[in-house]
Amino acid sequence: MDNNNSNQNKDMIIKNGEEISEEARSREEITKRAGVLFLQHYEYVRNVVYRVAPVPGVQEDIVQEVFLAFVESANRWDLEQDVRPLLYSIAKKAAMNHYRKYVQSIPEGLRQLAQTVREESEKRLDPAWAPMELSDQFDALESCTNRLKGLSRIILDSHYKKSYSFAEIAEKTNVKLSTVHRIMSRVRLFLRECIESVLRGRSEHESK
């Protein structure tokens, strides 16, 4: 009995007047080591989060989430190895979850219109879109959409917000189908050029 107690005591240390096991001490050391490593790779994690989820106001929350997940799982990994692949995996997963929630909060019609206009810009390799946050792109789209008047706005809203086909729009507006197509093409061109102008202006303003 005494021998068992003696053996158990060998696995205990005194800290602040309390006994803690070698296992608990090991976990504490791993946690501290993980915290130090995370701080050393903070900018790396933040950049990953920003690229995957360019949504304003949530980056720091996601980084904090990555930190907690990394520390909690640190005892399963060899922290003497390069931890960037692990941090990348955790950061990407967390950022993607936040990004999906953000995108789902945007009306479907607006997402489709933004995708259409963006694809047209990417075909022209216009750089204005690249550095801007997703929210800036949607803000620019909304601003430019509000400049449309009359039949152009009716056709745009009918197609992207009400999901009417071009044939249905032609019937409801008493306009030829070819005219609807022609107006929609002009609307897309206007939106593309308008959004690129807005984004480029913001980019130039922020660079000053």
Side-chain angles (χ1 to χ4, degrees):
M1 189 72 176
D2 292 339
N3 288 337
N4 288 338
N5 288 336
S6 177
N7 290 335
Q8 289 177 358
N9 289 337
K10 291 179 181 178
D11 294 330
M12 308 292 289
I13 61 172
I14 303 298
K15 182 180 180 181
N16 296 330
E18 297 180 357
E19 291 184 339
I20 64 172
S21 66
E22 289 286 349
E23 181 181 354
R25 186 178 68 166
S26 177
R27 287 199 301 269
E28 182 178 313
E29 290 175 349
I30 290 173
T31 298
K32 288 181 178 179
R33 174 62 176 160
V36 171
L37 285 172
F38 187 86
L39 289 176
Q40 291 175 348
H41 294 83
Y42 173 82
E43 287 300 327
Y44 172 77
V45 171
R46 194 174 185 279
N47 288 336
V48 171
V49 168
Y50 186 86
R51 289 199 304 270
V52 177
V55 182
V58 301
Q59 273 89 17
E60 292 305 322
D61 289 340
I62 300 175
V63 170
Q64 180 68 18
E65 185 178 321
V66 175
F67 168 72
L68 293 175
F70 177 65
V71 170
E72 288 174 1
S73 63
N75 63 331
R76 305 203 313 261
W77 307 98
D78 182 1
L79 298 183
E80 298 305 316
Q81 301 294 323
D82 185 2
V83 297
R84 282 178 298 180
L86 174 60
L87 287 171
Y88 176 84
S89 177
I90 297 174
K92 182 179 179 181
K93 181 179 179 180
M96 283 298 296
N97 287 337
H98 280 267
Y99 183 76
R100 290 191 188 99
K101 292 177 183 177
Y102 175 76
V103 171
Q104 288 171 0
S105 69
I106 299 170
E108 176 64 23
L110 190 60
R111 292 204 304 268
Q112 291 180 358
L113 178 56
Q115 181 64 26
T116 298
V117 176
R118 183 184 181 98
E119 288 173 354
E120 289 298 318
S121 291
E122 288 176 345
K123 288 178 183 177
R124 298 170 59 252
L125 300 179
D126 192 284
W129 291 74
M132 305 305 297
E133 292 186 347
L134 187 65
S135 60
D136 290 326
Q137 297 173 14
F138 281 111
D139 286 346
L141 173 59
E142 185 174 10
S143 174
C144 291
T145 298
N146 288 336
R147 300 180 191 181
L148 293 170
K149 306 296 181 183
L151 191 56
S152 294
R153 184 61 186 267
I154 292 173
I155 291 175
L156 179 74
D157 289 346
S158 296
H159 185 61
Y160 286 103
K161 292 186 177 181
K162 299 179 181 179
S163 300
Y164 289 161
S165 68
F166 290 135
E168 290 173 324
I169 295 173
E171 182 179 351
K172 291 179 180 296
T173 57
N174 196 28
V175 174
K176 291 182 179 180
L177 180 58
S178 59
T179 302
V180 172
H181 280 290
R182 187 166 59 253
I183 291 175
M184 194 68 240
S185 295
R186 289 204 301 265
V187 166
R188 287 171 177 162
L189 175 61
F190 164 77
L191 289 175
R192 188 193 73 203
E193 293 178 345
C194 176
I195 292 171
E196 289 171 0
S197 176
V198 171
L199 293 179
R200 191 175 293 106
R202 290 183 183 179
S203 179
E204 292 173 353
H205 175 74
E206 290 176 358
S207 65
K208 290 181 179 180

